[in-house]
Amino acid sequence: MTGWPHEAVVSVAQESCPDAGLHQRLVYGDETALAEVYDTYAALVHRVAGRVTRSPSAAEDVAQEVFAHLRSLLLHSALARLPLPQRQVVHLAYFAGRTYRQAAVELGIPEGTAKTRLRAALRRLAEALAEPPDPTDPSGPTGPPGSTGPTGTALADAPGERGA
């Protein structure tokens, strides 16, 4: 049995898929696309989960997990686009539970540098998750390396800064 080459199948699927633009926006971390996906597919996901689990409460749990996983993928996609020094300090501060001061010691950098990297990373993440990317921008969805975006972007306190 012979089939189409993989590229042809992907091409046909993309051309005939009405959600191709939505898929692209998800891949680039567009948070509004996630809301559209939920609005469009929540009922379907819940119905399928209900048929598989045969339990309304289990179906609700499964549906919530599906969309939580999708949101997590968007966040990890945005994190992966950060420059390595920013990714390192975000990992230590948010995933390893360190303050920016502790992260600075672990990374062997000044506290001010750790704080600056963390703030820049949070700003870039907020921008990446809040706005759809410009597909014509050659620098990518988060801008050129080292860019921090528009001034006045509201950020939550970084770890270690509470009450500072």
Side-chain angles (χ1 to χ4, degrees), residues 15 17 69 92 109 124 147 153 155:
E15 289 172 12
C17 178
H69 184 69
L92 289 172
I109 59 176
R124 288 176 70 134
S147 68
T153 303
L155 296 175

Side-chain angles (χ1 to χ4, degrees), residues 2-3 11 26 30-32 40 43 45 60 66-67 69 71 92 122 126 131 135 140 144 157:
T2 61
S11 176
L26 279 169
D30 179 357
E31 191 76 9
T32 62
T40 304
V45 169
E60 183 62 31
V66 166
F67 290 104
H69 184 69
R71 185 176 183 84
L92 289 172
L122 292 175
E131 297 179 14
D157 287 341

Side-chain angles (χ1 to χ4, degrees), residues 10-88:
V10 170
S11 176
V12 169
Q14 287 176 341
E15 289 172 12
S16 63
C17 178
D19 293 331
L22 184 60
H23 176 262
Q24 182 179 12
R25 290 173 42 221
L26 279 169
V27 168
Y28 281 104
D30 179 357
E31 191 76 9
T32 62
L34 181 60
E36 285 181 45
V37 166
Y38 183 83
D39 290 343
T40 304
Y41 294 105
L44 174 64
V45 169
H46 194 273
R47 278 194 310 274
V48 170
R51 286 184 180 166
V52 171
T53 64
R54 299 189 187 279
S55 163
S57 63
E60 183 62 31
D61 290 345
V62 168
Q64 287 179 7
E65 283 294 317
V66 166
F67 290 104
H69 184 69
L70 182 56
R71 185 176 183 84
S72 176
L73 288 173
L74 290 175
L75 175 60
H76 283 97
S77 173
L79 283 169
R81 291 190 306 264
L82 289 174
L84 180 61
Q86 290 178 6
R87 246 189 350 257
Q88 289 172 325

Side-chain angles (χ1 to χ4, degrees), residues 94 100 115 118-123 126 152-163:
Y94 287 96
Y100 76 86
K115 187 175 181 179
L118 187 57
R119 284 191 169 276
L122 292 175
R123 188 174 294 116
T153 303
L155 296 175
D157 287 341
E161 295 185 81
R162 291 160 185 85

